[in-house]
Amino acid sequence: MRRWNTIWLFVLGGLMAWSASAQQNTDSLQVLEEVHITDTRLGMFATGDKVEPVSQYAIGEMDYTNLAELLMKYAAINVRSYGISGLSTASLRGTGSNHTAVFWEGINLQSSMNGSLDLTLVPVSFMDEVSLQFGATGSLFGSGTMGGAIHLASEGLPKSDGWNGRFYQQVGNFGNRYTGLNTGFRKERFAVKVRGFTSQADNNFPFFNIYNNRLENRQNAGIDQQGLLAESYFSPNNQHDISLKYWFQDNLVHVPNVAAAGGEARAIQADVFHRAILQWQRQGRNDVLKAHTAFIYHDLIYDDKITSPSVSQSASWVTEIENTYYLNKENWLYAGLNHTYETANVENYGAHQPQRNRIALFLSYRTLLINKLEASLGMRETLIDGELSPFLPSLGLNYALTKSWKLKSKVARSYRIPTFNDLYWVGAGGLGNRSLQPETGWSSELGIQASGQPSDRLKASGEATIFSNSIDQWIGWVPVTASLWSPINVEQVWARGAEVSGNMQYQLTHKLSAQLWGNYTYTKSTKEKINEGGSPTELHKQLIYTPYHQFKASANISYQQFVLGYSHLFIGDQFVTSSNHLILPYYNIGDISLTYHWNINSKHQVLINGKLNNAFNKDYEVRRGYPMPGRNYHISIIYQFNQ
Amino acid sequence: MKKYYLQYLLFGLSVAFSVFLSACSDDGMTPEVPVAAQDGYFIINEGAFGNANTTLSYYDRLQDSVINNIFSSVNGRPLGDQTQSMSVFNDLGFILVQNSAKIEVINRDDFTSVATMGTEEGIVSPRYFLGINNDKAYVSDWGMGGTNFTVKVIDLNTYEVIKNIPTGQCANKLALQGNQVYVANSGGYNKPDSTVMVINTQTDAVTDTLVVGDNPSSLVVDANGNIWVAGGGNVVYNDDWSVNEAESTPGFIAKITNNEVALKMEAPEVSSGPGNLVINSDGSTLYFTYAGGVYEMSINDTAFPTTPLIEKNFYGLGVDPLTGEILGGEVPNYNDNGTFYRYTSSGELIDSYMVGIAPNGFAF
């Protein structure tokens, strides 16, 4: 598969050389359109990338849930979950759970200890924009972005002077409740916004336990969360913007047993984290300079109530400075420098407290090669504790066939550095491996995108993409002796497939409108090479918990003050074992929602929403032994002013 | 352009939808339905703890083939989470599914379920089963969260626990000799044990506690009525989890005669103790796993064997009582199916077969 990626790189490179030689003057820049996200990197230099924002409708529908549920229902991504309120991670394009990085305000939130982020611990109400970036994006965003990235932005700036606010109250079955308060204030060049929430769920839903052949209630599956997000903005003049954001959250998650287990589950996990970021931006005449520094601290306690609790702390400090130069109408240059310091204090690292310093230099150049063909060339080089890590080039092309049809392509190299657990774990039966190599990969894709407004009443867009993504030196834990497990660079994985998505908005009358969104993904992700120490029987087998087929759709109709919505989720059969002999069966889940917008006056509004989840009352598991609730109801009421 | 636009989009959506529909249709997978057991034995696939993927396989000697997943294909439900062991007694199979806190009782010949003993019947964390007589069996059990180690006396007519006999730390394998049951207290949960307990089967009471060596885990009875015990030794770690050689004790093979330790052979390496002690059907030859190999010993030997009979790292070990073949279960990892190997009694490979996840033992 690497061969294909290389060939594709040559094809793209050749195409670029040809078009550069055929370059002609043009004043048309119509093909350069901005993705509505504040990060210039994603908006300006991800040419050829497939970037899909989660709709504001979906974010509104899921405001009192977490990112895992939002993405599971409304995004073309594979969410792997240990059930409702359980550990949830995301995978894009057939990669592993730590190959899709999650960025908040441009800061990578992947844990230095295990390489992933629990999406259940991200409240949707704290995020104003959620976007998925598909395919490797290492040249722009660094390690761990082999399948793609999830970008989160908290941009709750009030639009006009004065106060605004929003109050949420939600209740649902199985002890589910959520109370949230957002309030903002703006006066001229100063703005502040504070959001807080408290949320609990018992998740003691009844389910038919196929392992015990009887009806049971899920036990020890509750969650209790409190969080605060404060943002402040200041622009001393038209050139400068300064912002400070602070996010604190306290989570207590009860960890249920696998449904096949007997006895009482008592394990709990407490996650407390602090995340702060200071941003500064200067708008020059021909450039935009951005700098930020962020501090992240995470404290995790896992207590199985049998042995003594295991406690770990991790901290990272990320500083980045980047500049976007506007050279002329057709050429942009982007350069950045990132310093990341990570450390962790974990009982199972023995006396060793790992520390890691990473300094990365990244450059991107975006140009209009000929009329309608734009290209973006990126590169990144990182020094990790003085050692050079793999060089990451990328090339993206965007060709406007017509005003509404676009061809896109990208080839990029990516990598992921080993986690602290992989490197430094010491314990009975398991030992980290300090000589692990980073995982490296190539990803390439070709897509066609269409968007347009065939009539005044209809807006539609669609995108179809084929992709190929290889990851070499994939890190896995394997038994190295009779009683010792260690991670090694065990295999090579080839993920490939196709994605189709569509979006439609139809305004029938001024009172009646409809929105439709859908996507289908086919993913084949197989192990193509097994190195020594791995299991040869897994060769050419599909990765576990990676469905071949996934289909998600949502539709909603607005009539006057009412919005009726339906969302559907189909996840195909998934393999549970690496040798592909055990299957988690497919499931089809539908949710229905009805919202009433009550406009008290132009300033004050009340939104009342009723929701029927799993409307067809299907029994299903998202992971073997992790059942999901049957039909359940949620009611929420939102009061807002000056929004 | 405009008028074709919608058509393209609708075409795209209909393609996507038809693919979606075809994906929903049944892909024609049918479970393997085994024939009734004539002549064979069971392979216990432990599965990965917490992943609900433990299964039972069956090896048919006449067909020379393995049928996987027999419990769920016959009984229509998954076996559970983490099967520790299985024993065949009185034409019934007793499957001890430890993390599911249950014992599944099946018919030996057609694999159909006879009974399920769970928490309500007094089962908590079952390890090994030993049939005593038509009415009674013993089961070692670790209790909730490894806090209450017992041998449970089971009434085989009602399938209920009728008595709990407290044991040492982590009561493991059991062996019957006359009217005495020997219990290996294998240590665990950060606490070693070094004893083998003796229970009188008539009174269901502990009559003796023999200090044998650190962490005895498996035991068998030989042709002369002696009890052979394999122990892992006690591995003590330094703060950085390297092995503290000075404070650790080596594993061992010991012989108990008349409730006295008559012989004790220490393993040369600390931290890689012998385990999986099994014996052939005439009670003359012992086999065990040690340091990534299978070792053989005569019951007349008095020294720890120096070279392995089979150089392969097995998780589960057995001896076919009918043919004397040595059987091994290999675990590549806990995500992947394991492999079951058959060897002649002199250690030559006969064949290998794919089985379920983590084959940890055999039941005959």
Side-chain angles (χ1 to χ4, degrees), chain B residues 71-187:
Chain B
F71 182 88
S72 64
S73 40
V74 169
N75 296 303
R77 60 193 162 92
L79 182 55
D81 197 52
Q82 194 225 338
T83 303
Q84 183 58 35
S85 70
M86 175 178 177
S87 297
V88 174
F89 185 65
N90 284 348
D91 297 329
L92 294 172
F94 294 83
I95 311 165
L96 281 67
V97 194
Q98 187 176 3
N99 197 40
S100 291
K102 66 174 180 179
I103 299 175
E104 291 282 358
V105 187
I106 60 171
N107 279 307
R108 189 219 172 285
D109 292 331
D110 63 7
F111 321 132
T112 53
S113 175
V114 173
T116 304
M117 302 178 61
T119 328
E120 280 119 58
E121 289 78 23
I123 301 299
V124 184
S125 184
R127 297 285 293 178
Y128 292 92
F129 174 98
L130 180 69
I132 307 294
N133 56 41
N134 285 339
D135 299 319
K136 188 162 85 176
Y138 283 2
V139 167
S140 54
D141 189 297
W142 283 3
M144 172 88 184
T147 48
N148 187 15
F149 308 103
T150 55
V151 163
K152 296 185 183 297
V153 184
I154 313 272
D155 183 331
L156 291 179
N157 303 305
T158 61
Y159 296 120
E160 278 178 354
V161 173
I162 48 173
K163 187 174 178 184
N164 288 297
I165 307 166
T167 63
Q169 188 81 2
C170 296
N172 208 48
K173 283 192 178 165
L174 310 165
L176 178 67
Q177 211 288 90
N179 61 359
Q180 297 189 106
V181 165
Y182 292 80
V183 184
N185 292 317
S186 67

Side-chain angles (χ1 to χ4, degrees), chain A residues 210-211 258 260-262 264 306 405 426-428 451 454 460 479 482 485 520 535 537-538 570 577-579 581-582 586 624, chain B residues 1-2 5 19-20 23-24 50 52-53 77-78 99-100 102 144-145 237 240-241 313 332-337 354 357:
Chain A
I210 53 168
Y211 306 94
V258 63
E264 188 194 352
I306 297 168
W405 290 80
V426 281
S451 62
W485 289 62
Y520 164 77
S535 172
T537 54
E538 297 174 8
F570 166 78
T577 55
S578 305
S579 45
H581 283 93
L582 199 58
Y586 72 84
R624 188 170 166 92
Chain B
M1 174 60 226
K2 268 184 188 172
Y5 185 84
V19 174
F20 157 68
C24 296
N53 55 15
R77 60 193 162 92
N99 197 40
S100 291
K102 66 174 180 179
M144 172 88 184
Y237 295 95
D240 64 354
W241 287 91
N313 182 20
N333 58 54
Y334 286 87
N335 278 326
D336 192 6
N337 282 354
M354 189 202 75
I357 295 172

Side-chain angles (χ1 to χ4, degrees), chain B residues 312-323:
Chain B
K312 206 156 183 57
N313 182 20
F314 287 131
Y315 188 57
L317 186 70
V319 192
D320 184 342
L322 209 70
T323 62

